[in-house]
Amino acid sequence: MRLLVIEDDRDLNRQLVAALDEGGYAVDAAFDGEEGAHLGETEPYDAIILDLGLPKIDGLSILERWRRTDIRTPVLILTARDRWSEKVAGINAGADDYVAKPFQMEEVIARVRALLRRSAGFAKAELECGPLHLDTRSARVTFNGSPIKVTGLEFRLLSYLMHHQSRVVSRSELVDHLYQQDFDRDSNTIEVFIGRLRRKIPGDLIHTVRGLGYCVSFAPGPDGGDKRGS
Ligand code: CA
């Protein structure tokens, strides 16, 4: 899952990026409204954290512009604590949730996590695919109740596939959503990580759909996808 943080307070921006990175997300940062609006329009983020008070273009205008142009990315706005009208204006402009400053990082992370799973159609924090469970709160993966050890990037990959389970996800989509902007991307590494996950997770739940991509599903893959091939 890839996120964008738009916040002009450099310290706060840095703290948000660090906390979200620690929480298992790929994170890009923008420090003014112009840069943020542009990134939100051109990069495929899974959710955006948007401060309302920003230089160049304010957060509310950005949000209105995005929603007018049908950009539906879930947006969490950061508002001033004592301005209830700001929260209302933000929600009316198309924000999905808000956090008032000053906030605890844990609250931001919990709200982002909830936005991501709701936009993927899940109500619970624990995602299930048959015997395979992924807890988005603790970043734990279990199979029939037994823990499976995964690295940060393996978790990110599995989490993305499980948020979009039963749908075929292409390698280029995975690259877009697993790495931050400045990362040296190589779609071949995706195949390597898929291979590692397959060796760790029993049950043939990660299917390869030849020429299209990958699909996590408890049922056989769409159009009888080849489970073992790469
Ligand atoms: Ca600000």
Side-chain angles (χ1 to χ4, degrees):
M1 297 283 176
R2 187 169 160 212
L3 311 173
L4 172 64
V5 171
I6 311 176
E7 165 63 71
D8 59 314
D9 179 327
R10 296 213 158 238
D11 280 344
L12 188 54
N13 190 313
R14 194 175 38 76
Q15 289 165 27
L16 281 163
V17 170
L20 291 163
D21 176 80
E22 177 84 0
Y25 302 103
V27 196
D28 290 344
F31 297 91
D32 65 58
E34 206 169 77
E35 184 190 14
H38 175 72
L39 280 175
E41 276 153 22
T42 51
E43 296 290 325
Y45 295 106
D46 296 293
I48 296 172
I49 292 111
L50 173 66
D51 182 34
L52 289 186
L54 289 168
K56 296 191 184 170
I57 312 173
D58 69 274
L60 213 53
S61 304
I62 294 174
L63 191 52
E64 283 165 352
R65 181 167 127 187
W66 283 342
R67 294 316 189 214
R68 248 196 332 268
T69 51
D70 213 24
I71 291 170
R72 299 175 183 192
T73 314
V75 172
L76 174 76
I77 51 171
L78 305 177
T79 67
R81 182 187 209 159
D82 44 0
R83 293 202 210 131
W84 65 267
S85 57
E86 218 176 71
K87 297 167 195 162
V88 173
I91 303 256
N92 283 341
D96 299 271
D97 201 358
Y98 68 85
V99 175
K101 291 178 180 178
F103 48 74
Q104 296 293 321
M105 284 299 159
E106 286 78 6
E107 183 179 359
V108 175
I109 292 170
R111 289 185 182 277
V112 166
R113 215 184 276 135
L115 282 187
L116 291 169
R117 65 166 195 259
R118 279 204 303 268
S119 77
F122 295 97
K124 287 196 299 178
E126 186 163 308
L127 308 184
E128 296 174 20
C129 177
L132 180 64
H133 290 206
L134 181 143
D135 192 328
T136 58
R137 295 159 301 189
S138 60
R140 269 206 204 113
V141 179
T142 57
F143 188 89
N144 278 334
S146 309
I148 292 179
K149 263 197 169 172
V150 292
T151 64
L153 205 69
E154 287 165 7
F155 178 81
R156 218 187 268 177
L157 172 57
L158 185 64
S159 177
Y160 191 83
L161 288 171
M162 283 190 73
H163 274 84
H164 299 279
Q165 58 182 275
S166 302
R167 169 165 91 67
V168 179
V169 180
S170 72
R171 266 204 282 179
S172 66
E173 179 177 341
L174 286 170
V175 169
D176 271 345
H177 290 265
L178 298 187
Y179 300 112
Q180 54 269 40
Q181 208 186 17
D182 52 7
F183 197 86
D184 184 17
R185 294 146 176 232
D186 176 2
S187 71
N188 289 320
T189 58
I190 297 285
E191 219 169 281
V192 174
F193 286 110
I194 289 276
R196 285 186 196 161
L197 282 173
R198 278 206 181 109
R199 282 192 289 279
K200 290 183 179 184
I201 301 167
D204 286 342
L205 298 176
I206 305 173
H207 312 274
T208 297
V209 183
R210 238 179 255 286
L212 294 176
Y214 305 101
C215 173
V216 162
S217 140
F218 189 42
D223 52 77
D226 175 3
K227 293 172 182 181
R228 281 281 159 201
S230 63

